[in-house]
Each structure stands twice: as C-alpha cells, then as structure tokens.
Amino acid sequence: MNPGQRKRTHAVTDEAIAERRETIAAHAADIIAGSGVEGCTFGAVSDSTGFSVGMIQHHFRTRERLVLASVEYRTTASVREWQTIHSAGTGALERLHDLLTFAVEGEATFEQAWGFWIEVYSAAHKDPNIRVHVANTLLAWRRIFEETLDEAVQEGLIKPFHEPEVLATLLLAVIDGLAIQALNGIYDSSPAKMIDTLRRFAAHEFGIDEQSFVRRDLELKEPAL
C-alpha cells in the first residue's frame, strides 16, 4: 500500500445503522398489526424488508427485542408527530380537538396503528417485558393529554369536573374502547364514528358546547365582545 493511501473499509455509519434499525422496526410493527406478535418472525420481517435474516438477527438478536423495538418505534413516531401538531401555534382548545383526532387518524392508517396497539396490548398481558414497554408508552401518551388539558384549564377554556390527570386517564380509556369497537366493526362502528363520538364525549367532560367543539369552532377561544 502506497504511503498516505487509506485502507478501504466497509464501516457503516451510526446514522445508517439507526436508519436500518428503524426500517426493520417499522416493518415489524406493520406485521404485528396484521398477523399479531406471534406472526412477527425474522423470516416475515426479512420478506417484508428485503434484508437477510442474518442482518436482522445481527441488529436485534432475539424476536423479543425486535417486538420491543417496534413498540419503541411506534411510540417515538406518535410523540414526534404530535409534537409537530402541537408546535403549529394553535390555542389549547384547538390542540385538544386535534389531539383527539390524532388519537384516531395519524400518519399511519387506523388499521395499522390500532391493529398494532391492540395486538401489543394483548401480548403485554402474558409478557412482562412487553408490559413494561407498553406501560411506559401509555404514561408518555397520558402526559401529552395532561399537559394540554392543564393548559386549557389554566386559560379558562374548559371547566372539567375531573382533574387533568384523572380526565386524561378517562379519555384514554374511552379511546381504547372505541378503537376496539371500530377495528372490529362492533355496533357498526368506524373510525369516522369514533372521532365524532370521542369529540362529543370530550366536550361534555370539558364543560363546553358540544356542537362548537365537534366543528372545531375557533370562536370558542375568543371572549365575547
């Protein structure tokens, strides 16, 4: 080798590794949504991504780690998407309206997002490691609701009967229940009906006009002259 000539390597940058891991986790999440946690095998993810089974094993070692990585991926993606919505500069009441809508419709389709979470909730009942990850996810999700609710209360925009922490927990319980109904078509439910029901229920709990909140009437935050 000539002096000054650098030895050629096949090193992969940290950014490339992180991107590859995220791609694998994203495909794993979609597989879980359609086939359940048990269907999330290295072979299935390999077929979906085009990456070899060996490469996937190199990054995640075990199937359990791959499943946990998919939970982290969905959580991070949801929080990041909500932060983008939150930074749009709207008022607290509009953000509550958008947050409830976001709970149903985000970048992922309703079937992808809620199909994933319902499968993971079910698996968490039997797997303590998944349960811990899901619990942390729900704490982060509830914190977003709490902060937005508290902001609306402090600004005098809503007058809920419950404290923000209790109301956030209640809203999340309603969201989860309605999502199960919509995903399975129970009571002739659908994502659109879920959004409408959720907005009406929230308006009642907020102590504000139902029709105006459902329409996202911006005059709600403006005091009458």
Side-chain angles (χ1 to χ4, degrees):
M1 183 171 65
N2 295 331
Q5 182 179 355
R6 295 182 178 180
K7 184 178 180 180
R8 184 175 298 174
T9 66
H10 297 283
V12 180
T13 66
D14 290 341
E15 291 80 6
I17 292 174
E19 183 178 348
R20 184 176 298 166
R21 285 177 60 87
E22 183 172 297
T23 297
I24 294 172
H27 281 263
D30 287 343
I31 290 171
I32 290 172
S35 304
V37 171
E38 294 303 318
C40 184
T41 64
F42 285 131
V45 176
S46 175
D47 291 341
S48 178
T49 61
F51 296 141
S52 69
V53 169
M55 177 182 290
I56 297 170
Q57 289 177 321
H58 172 73
H59 284 293
F60 296 97
R61 303 297 181 187
T62 67
R63 192 176 70 88
E64 182 182 60
R65 290 186 181 182
L66 177 58
V67 171
L68 296 181
S70 73
V71 175
E72 293 178 1
Y73 166 77
R74 280 290 191 208
T75 302
T76 301
S78 295
V79 172
R80 184 169 55 221
E81 187 178 351
W82 168 245
Q83 287 172 339
T84 299
I85 295 172
H86 187 277
S87 63
T90 56
L93 196 56
E94 288 88 344
R95 282 199 292 275
L96 279 172
H97 181 283
D98 294 345
L99 180 55
L100 293 170
T101 305
F102 171 68
V104 184
E105 295 180 341
E107 290 184 1
T109 66
F110 178 82
E111 288 75 15
Q112 286 176 319
W114 278 104
F116 172 81
W117 284 116
I118 289 175
E119 291 293 342
V120 169
Y121 286 168
S122 177
H125 179 66
K126 300 177 181 179
D127 189 319
N129 290 325
I130 295 178
R131 193 180 310 144
V132 169
H133 276 64
V134 169
N136 290 334
T137 295
L138 293 179
L139 285 174
W141 188 222
R142 188 178 69 175
R143 192 174 304 114
I144 291 174
F145 273 85
E146 284 181 43
E147 292 173 352
T148 311
L149 286 165
D150 187 62
E151 184 179 356
V153 169
Q154 294 301 319
E155 294 180 12
L157 299 173
I158 63 175
K159 297 179 180 180
F161 177 78
H162 302 285
E163 293 296 320
E165 181 179 353
V166 175
L167 182 52
T169 301
L170 178 59
L171 287 172
L172 289 175
V174 173
I175 290 169
D176 288 346
L178 290 175
I180 292 173
Q181 293 177 12
L183 193 65
N184 292 289
I186 300 172
Y187 309 132
D188 196 29
S189 299
S190 67
K193 287 186 177 180
M194 176 179 172
I195 291 176
D196 185 70
T197 302
L198 187 56
R199 289 173 182 168
R200 294 180 186 281
F201 175 81
H204 178 269
E205 291 297 316
F206 296 162
I208 60 177
D209 181 71
E210 178 182 302
Q211 292 301 321
S212 296
F213 186 69
V214 168
R215 295 194 305 268
R216 198 179 185 270
D217 188 344
L218 300 183
E219 291 182 1
L220 274 171
K221 66 183 180 65
E222 299 293 343
L225 298 178

